[in-house]
Amino acid sequence: MKRDMELIRTLLLRLEALEIWPGQIMLIDGSTEGVGIPGRDVNQINYHLGLLQQKGMFNSPGKNGMDNRLRFAGLTWEGHDLLDSIKNDEVWRLTKDTADGIGSWTVEIIKELAKGFIKKQIEERTGLKI
């Protein structure tokens, strides 16, 4: 299955919006309310949730149960940083268009591209070069 960065972004936005408190653990998968996406295959969502877990984008303490659901205890610092860098729709559009143009979609490149566009916006708005 191919990695879909648009789906990754959407899942990060949905995971961030889940009401979860310190110490709380939820079992999630592509059919979980607030995680599932209409029009998207549950298996595709589960695959991408697994990728996010493998990359350390969310806390997943302990072991999974007998089913395919993942343990979710909130986004990690890295997950929040990635999401914050691509949350703005205009920054995401520019980042996505650039990455599409060069054919590179690693998380590190996406994050660096987005940070570059954010820095450019800051400079345009404030005159400060960061």
Side-chain angles (χ1 to χ4, degrees), residues 3 5 92 94-114:
R3 183 174 57 180
M5 290 305 286
W92 175 242
L94 292 167
T95 301
K96 195 167 88 163
D97 289 351
T98 303
D100 278 343
I102 60 174
S104 182
W105 278 97
T106 68
V107 169
E108 291 77 15
I109 287 178
I110 294 303
K111 193 172 171 183
E112 289 303 314
L113 278 172

PDB file of all heavy atoms in Angstrom, residues 3 5 92 94-114:
ATOM      1  N   ARG A   3       1.945   5.081   0.771  1.00  0.00           N
ATOM      2  CA  ARG A   3       1.733   6.059   1.842  1.00  0.00           C
ATOM      3  C   ARG A   3       1.045   7.286   1.254  1.00  0.00           C
ATOM      4  O   ARG A   3       1.418   7.773   0.207  1.00  0.00           O
ATOM      5  CB  ARG A   3       3.084   6.435   2.457  1.00  0.00           C
ATOM      6  CG  ARG A   3       2.976   7.388   3.619  1.00  0.00           C
ATOM      7  CD  ARG A   3       4.300   7.606   4.276  1.00  0.00           C
ATOM      8  NE  ARG A   3       5.273   8.092   3.318  1.00  0.00           N
ATOM      9  CZ  ARG A   3       6.529   8.380   3.621  1.00  0.00           C
ATOM     10  NH1 ARG A   3       6.965   8.188   4.830  1.00  0.00           N
ATOM     11  NH2 ARG A   3       7.349   8.812   2.706  1.00  0.00           N
ATOM     12  N   MET A   5       0.204  11.051   2.167  1.00  0.00           N
ATOM     13  CA  MET A   5       0.478  12.128   3.119  1.00  0.00           C
ATOM     14  C   MET A   5      -0.751  12.981   3.408  1.00  0.00           C
ATOM     15  O   MET A   5      -0.866  13.542   4.497  1.00  0.00           O
ATOM     16  CB  MET A   5       1.638  12.996   2.629  1.00  0.00           C
ATOM     17  CG  MET A   5       2.992  12.282   2.680  1.00  0.00           C
ATOM     18  SD  MET A   5       3.415  11.617   4.316  1.00  0.00           S
ATOM     19  CE  MET A   5       3.830  13.117   5.181  1.00  0.00           C
ATOM     20  N   TRP A  92       0.120  23.970   3.980  1.00  0.00           N
ATOM     21  CA  TRP A  92      -0.001  22.591   3.516  1.00  0.00           C
ATOM     22  C   TRP A  92      -0.063  22.532   1.991  1.00  0.00           C
ATOM     23  O   TRP A  92       0.575  21.708   1.363  1.00  0.00           O
ATOM     24  CB  TRP A  92      -1.211  21.913   4.139  1.00  0.00           C
ATOM     25  CG  TRP A  92      -1.442  20.534   3.595  1.00  0.00           C
ATOM     26  CD1 TRP A  92      -2.538  20.094   2.914  1.00  0.00           C
ATOM     27  CD2 TRP A  92      -0.557  19.411   3.674  1.00  0.00           C
ATOM     28  NE1 TRP A  92      -2.386  18.778   2.568  1.00  0.00           N
ATOM     29  CE2 TRP A  92      -1.173  18.333   3.014  1.00  0.00           C
ATOM     30  CE3 TRP A  92       0.706  19.217   4.223  1.00  0.00           C
ATOM     31  CZ2 TRP A  92      -0.587  17.076   2.897  1.00  0.00           C
ATOM     32  CZ3 TRP A  92       1.289  17.959   4.110  1.00  0.00           C
ATOM     33  CH2 TRP A  92       0.655  16.915   3.460  1.00  0.00           C
ATOM     34  N   LEU A  94       1.112  24.681  -0.238  1.00  0.00           N
ATOM     35  CA  LEU A  94       2.441  24.985  -0.784  1.00  0.00           C
ATOM     36  C   LEU A  94       3.409  23.818  -0.584  1.00  0.00           C
ATOM     37  O   LEU A  94       4.169  23.460  -1.484  1.00  0.00           O
ATOM     38  CB  LEU A  94       3.004  26.252  -0.127  1.00  0.00           C
ATOM     39  CG  LEU A  94       2.303  27.559  -0.463  1.00  0.00           C
ATOM     40  CD1 LEU A  94       2.752  28.664   0.492  1.00  0.00           C
ATOM     41  CD2 LEU A  94       2.553  27.947  -1.911  1.00  0.00           C
ATOM     42  N   THR A  95       3.371  23.243   0.600  1.00  0.00           N
ATOM     43  CA  THR A  95       4.248  22.109   0.921  1.00  0.00           C
ATOM     44  C   THR A  95       3.931  20.924   0.018  1.00  0.00           C
ATOM     45  O   THR A  95       4.830  20.309  -0.562  1.00  0.00           O
ATOM     46  CB  THR A  95       4.074  21.710   2.403  1.00  0.00           C
ATOM     47  OG1 THR A  95       4.401  22.835   3.221  1.00  0.00           O
ATOM     48  CG2 THR A  95       4.949  20.529   2.766  1.00  0.00           C
ATOM     49  N   LYS A  96       2.654  20.614  -0.104  1.00  0.00           N
ATOM     50  CA  LYS A  96       2.220  19.482  -0.919  1.00  0.00           C
ATOM     51  C   LYS A  96       2.581  19.695  -2.391  1.00  0.00           C
ATOM     52  O   LYS A  96       3.098  18.788  -3.052  1.00  0.00           O
ATOM     53  CB  LYS A  96       0.719  19.304  -0.747  1.00  0.00           C
ATOM     54  CG  LYS A  96       0.197  17.978  -1.224  1.00  0.00           C
ATOM     55  CD  LYS A  96      -1.213  17.748  -0.744  1.00  0.00           C
ATOM     56  CE  LYS A  96      -2.158  18.334  -1.752  1.00  0.00           C
ATOM     57  NZ  LYS A  96      -3.519  17.863  -1.620  1.00  0.00           N
ATOM     58  N   ASP A  97       2.318  20.888  -2.910  1.00  0.00           N
ATOM     59  CA  ASP A  97       2.642  21.185  -4.311  1.00  0.00           C
ATOM     60  C   ASP A  97       4.140  21.055  -4.571  1.00  0.00           C
ATOM     61  O   ASP A  97       4.559  20.509  -5.593  1.00  0.00           O
ATOM     62  CB  ASP A  97       2.173  22.587  -4.691  1.00  0.00           C
ATOM     63  CG  ASP A  97       0.660  22.697  -4.794  1.00  0.00           C
ATOM     64  OD1 ASP A  97      -0.036  21.654  -4.740  1.00  0.00           O
ATOM     65  OD2 ASP A  97       0.162  23.840  -4.898  1.00  0.00           O
ATOM     66  N   THR A  98       4.952  21.542  -3.651  1.00  0.00           N
ATOM     67  CA  THR A  98       6.404  21.457  -3.809  1.00  0.00           C
ATOM     68  C   THR A  98       6.877  20.020  -3.746  1.00  0.00           C
ATOM     69  O   THR A  98       7.664  19.569  -4.577  1.00  0.00           O
ATOM     70  CB  THR A  98       7.115  22.301  -2.732  1.00  0.00           C
ATOM     71  OG1 THR A  98       6.650  23.656  -2.832  1.00  0.00           O
ATOM     72  CG2 THR A  98       8.621  22.267  -2.916  1.00  0.00           C
ATOM     73  N   ALA A  99       6.382  19.282  -2.754  1.00  0.00           N
ATOM     74  CA  ALA A  99       6.784  17.879  -2.613  1.00  0.00           C
ATOM     75  C   ALA A  99       6.339  17.062  -3.828  1.00  0.00           C
ATOM     76  O   ALA A  99       7.085  16.207  -4.313  1.00  0.00           O
ATOM     77  CB  ALA A  99       6.220  17.292  -1.329  1.00  0.00           C
ATOM     78  N   ASP A 100       5.130  17.328  -4.320  1.00  0.00           N
ATOM     79  CA  ASP A 100       4.658  16.644  -5.534  1.00  0.00           C
ATOM     80  C   ASP A 100       5.588  16.938  -6.706  1.00  0.00           C
ATOM     81  O   ASP A 100       5.911  16.044  -7.486  1.00  0.00           O
ATOM     82  CB  ASP A 100       3.241  17.090  -5.904  1.00  0.00           C
ATOM     83  CG  ASP A 100       2.160  16.374  -5.119  1.00  0.00           C
ATOM     84  OD1 ASP A 100       2.447  15.312  -4.527  1.00  0.00           O
ATOM     85  OD2 ASP A 100       1.021  16.887  -5.097  1.00  0.00           O
ATOM     86  N   GLY A 101       6.013  18.187  -6.799  1.00  0.00           N
ATOM     87  CA  GLY A 101       6.868  18.599  -7.908  1.00  0.00           C
ATOM     88  C   GLY A 101       8.234  17.939  -7.910  1.00  0.00           C
ATOM     89  O   GLY A 101       8.815  17.693  -8.974  1.00  0.00           O
ATOM     90  N   ILE A 102       8.752  17.653  -6.723  1.00  0.00           N
ATOM     91  CA  ILE A 102      10.074  17.019  -6.658  1.00  0.00           C
ATOM     92  C   ILE A 102       9.978  15.519  -6.395  1.00  0.00           C
ATOM     93  O   ILE A 102      10.972  14.807  -6.441  1.00  0.00           O
ATOM     94  CB  ILE A 102      10.980  17.675  -5.592  1.00  0.00           C
ATOM     95  CG1 ILE A 102      10.372  17.590  -4.195  1.00  0.00           C
ATOM     96  CG2 ILE A 102      11.293  19.104  -5.961  1.00  0.00           C
ATOM     97  CD1 ILE A 102      11.267  18.090  -3.094  1.00  0.00           C
ATOM     98  N   GLY A 103       8.772  15.052  -6.104  1.00  0.00           N
ATOM     99  CA  GLY A 103       8.554  13.616  -5.907  1.00  0.00           C
ATOM    100  C   GLY A 103       9.082  13.072  -4.599  1.00  0.00           C
ATOM    101  O   GLY A 103       9.362  11.889  -4.489  1.00  0.00           O
ATOM    102  N   SER A 104       9.192  13.915  -3.574  1.00  0.00           N
ATOM    103  CA  SER A 104       9.715  13.463  -2.289  1.00  0.00           C
ATOM    104  C   SER A 104       8.715  13.748  -1.181  1.00  0.00           C
ATOM    105  O   SER A 104       8.254  14.879  -1.044  1.00  0.00           O
ATOM    106  CB  SER A 104      11.038  14.149  -1.981  1.00  0.00           C
ATOM    107  OG  SER A 104      11.551  13.677  -0.760  1.00  0.00           O
ATOM    108  N   TRP A 105       8.393  12.702  -0.408  1.00  0.00           N
ATOM    109  CA  TRP A 105       7.388  12.836   0.625  1.00  0.00           C
ATOM    110  C   TRP A 105       7.840  12.305   1.977  1.00  0.00           C
ATOM    111  O   TRP A 105       7.034  11.817   2.742  1.00  0.00           O
ATOM    112  CB  TRP A 105       6.124  12.075   0.222  1.00  0.00           C
ATOM    113  CG  TRP A 105       5.246  12.847  -0.691  1.00  0.00           C
ATOM    114  CD1 TRP A 105       5.214  12.739  -2.043  1.00  0.00           C
ATOM    115  CD2 TRP A 105       4.298  13.846  -0.352  1.00  0.00           C
ATOM    116  NE1 TRP A 105       4.286  13.595  -2.567  1.00  0.00           N
ATOM    117  CE2 TRP A 105       3.703  14.294  -1.541  1.00  0.00           C
ATOM    118  CE3 TRP A 105       3.874  14.412   0.843  1.00  0.00           C
ATOM    119  CZ2 TRP A 105       2.723  15.269  -1.571  1.00  0.00           C
ATOM    120  CZ3 TRP A 105       2.903  15.377   0.807  1.00  0.00           C
ATOM    121  CH2 TRP A 105       2.342  15.803  -0.390  1.00  0.00           C
ATOM    122  N   THR A 106       9.115  12.358   2.302  1.00  0.00           N
ATOM    123  CA  THR A 106       9.501  11.891   3.629  1.00  0.00           C
ATOM    124  C   THR A 106       8.963  12.879   4.670  1.00  0.00           C
ATOM    125  O   THR A 106       8.772  14.061   4.386  1.00  0.00           O
ATOM    126  CB  THR A 106      11.029  11.770   3.796  1.00  0.00           C
ATOM    127  OG1 THR A 106      11.600  13.078   3.783  1.00  0.00           O
ATOM    128  CG2 THR A 106      11.641  10.915   2.698  1.00  0.00           C
ATOM    129  N   VAL A 107       8.723  12.383   5.856  1.00  0.00           N
ATOM    130  CA  VAL A 107       8.213  13.232   6.927  1.00  0.00           C
ATOM    131  C   VAL A 107       9.187  14.374   7.199  1.00  0.00           C
ATOM    132  O   VAL A 107       8.778  15.517   7.399  1.00  0.00           O
ATOM    133  CB  VAL A 107       7.957  12.406   8.208  1.00  0.00           C
ATOM    134  CG1 VAL A 107       7.689  13.295   9.401  1.00  0.00           C
ATOM    135  CG2 VAL A 107       6.801  11.441   7.991  1.00  0.00           C
ATOM    136  N   GLU A 108      10.476  14.073   7.183  1.00  0.00           N
ATOM    137  CA  GLU A 108      11.470  15.101   7.456  1.00  0.00           C
ATOM    138  C   GLU A 108      11.437  16.202   6.404  1.00  0.00           C
ATOM    139  O   GLU A 108      11.519  17.389   6.730  1.00  0.00           O
ATOM    140  CB  GLU A 108      12.870  14.476   7.539  1.00  0.00           C
ATOM    141  CG  GLU A 108      13.094  13.591   8.749  1.00  0.00           C
ATOM    142  CD  GLU A 108      12.461  12.200   8.639  1.00  0.00           C
ATOM    143  OE1 GLU A 108      12.077  11.774   7.516  1.00  0.00           O
ATOM    144  OE2 GLU A 108      12.327  11.541   9.683  1.00  0.00           O
ATOM    145  N   ILE A 109      11.308  15.815   5.127  1.00  0.00           N
ATOM    146  CA  ILE A 109      11.262  16.818   4.063  1.00  0.00           C
ATOM    147  C   ILE A 109       9.983  17.635   4.154  1.00  0.00           C
ATOM    148  O   ILE A 109      10.013  18.860   4.018  1.00  0.00           O
ATOM    149  CB  ILE A 109      11.420  16.159   2.679  1.00  0.00           C
ATOM    150  CG1 ILE A 109      12.877  15.715   2.516  1.00  0.00           C
ATOM    151  CG2 ILE A 109      10.993  17.090   1.557  1.00  0.00           C
ATOM    152  CD1 ILE A 109      13.200  15.012   1.232  1.00  0.00           C
ATOM    153  N   ILE A 110       8.865  16.975   4.409  1.00  0.00           N
ATOM    154  CA  ILE A 110       7.594  17.690   4.551  1.00  0.00           C
ATOM    155  C   ILE A 110       7.696  18.721   5.673  1.00  0.00           C
ATOM    156  O   ILE A 110       7.303  19.877   5.519  1.00  0.00           O
ATOM    157  CB  ILE A 110       6.440  16.697   4.840  1.00  0.00           C
ATOM    158  CG1 ILE A 110       6.198  15.796   3.643  1.00  0.00           C
ATOM    159  CG2 ILE A 110       5.160  17.425   5.249  1.00  0.00           C
ATOM    160  CD1 ILE A 110       5.889  16.508   2.364  1.00  0.00           C
ATOM    161  N   LYS A 111       8.235  18.297   6.796  1.00  0.00           N
ATOM    162  CA  LYS A 111       8.355  19.195   7.943  1.00  0.00           C
ATOM    163  C   LYS A 111       9.273  20.377   7.629  1.00  0.00           C
ATOM    164  O   LYS A 111       8.956  21.522   7.945  1.00  0.00           O
ATOM    165  CB  LYS A 111       8.871  18.409   9.149  1.00  0.00           C
ATOM    166  CG  LYS A 111       8.741  19.130  10.462  1.00  0.00           C
ATOM    167  CD  LYS A 111       9.090  18.177  11.588  1.00  0.00           C
ATOM    168  CE  LYS A 111       9.182  18.883  12.896  1.00  0.00           C
ATOM    169  NZ  LYS A 111       9.582  17.987  13.967  1.00  0.00           N
ATOM    170  N   GLU A 112      10.400  20.114   6.982  1.00  0.00           N
ATOM    171  CA  GLU A 112      11.336  21.191   6.643  1.00  0.00           C
ATOM    172  C   GLU A 112      10.748  22.149   5.611  1.00  0.00           C
ATOM    173  O   GLU A 112      10.929  23.364   5.717  1.00  0.00           O
ATOM    174  CB  GLU A 112      12.662  20.614   6.158  1.00  0.00           C
ATOM    175  CG  GLU A 112      13.481  19.956   7.258  1.00  0.00           C
ATOM    176  CD  GLU A 112      13.782  20.894   8.425  1.00  0.00           C
ATOM    177  OE1 GLU A 112      14.185  22.050   8.194  1.00  0.00           O
ATOM    178  OE2 GLU A 112      13.599  20.465   9.580  1.00  0.00           O
ATOM    179  N   LEU A 113      10.066  21.609   4.593  1.00  0.00           N
ATOM    180  CA  LEU A 113       9.407  22.473   3.612  1.00  0.00           C
ATOM    181  C   LEU A 113       8.385  23.367   4.294  1.00  0.00           C
ATOM    182  O   LEU A 113       8.343  24.587   4.064  1.00  0.00           O
ATOM    183  CB  LEU A 113       8.714  21.635   2.535  1.00  0.00           C
ATOM    184  CG  LEU A 113       9.538  21.103   1.391  1.00  0.00           C
ATOM    185  CD1 LEU A 113       8.712  20.138   0.544  1.00  0.00           C
ATOM    186  CD2 LEU A 113      10.056  22.237   0.523  1.00  0.00           C
ATOM    187  N   ALA A 114       7.535  22.766   5.113  1.00  0.00           N
ATOM    188  CA  ALA A 114       6.500  23.529   5.802  1.00  0.00           C
ATOM    189  C   ALA A 114       7.117  24.602   6.691  1.00  0.00           C
ATOM    190  O   ALA A 114       6.653  25.749   6.707  1.00  0.00           O
ATOM    191  CB  ALA A 114       5.615  22.593   6.617  1.00  0.00           C
TER     192      ALA A 114
END
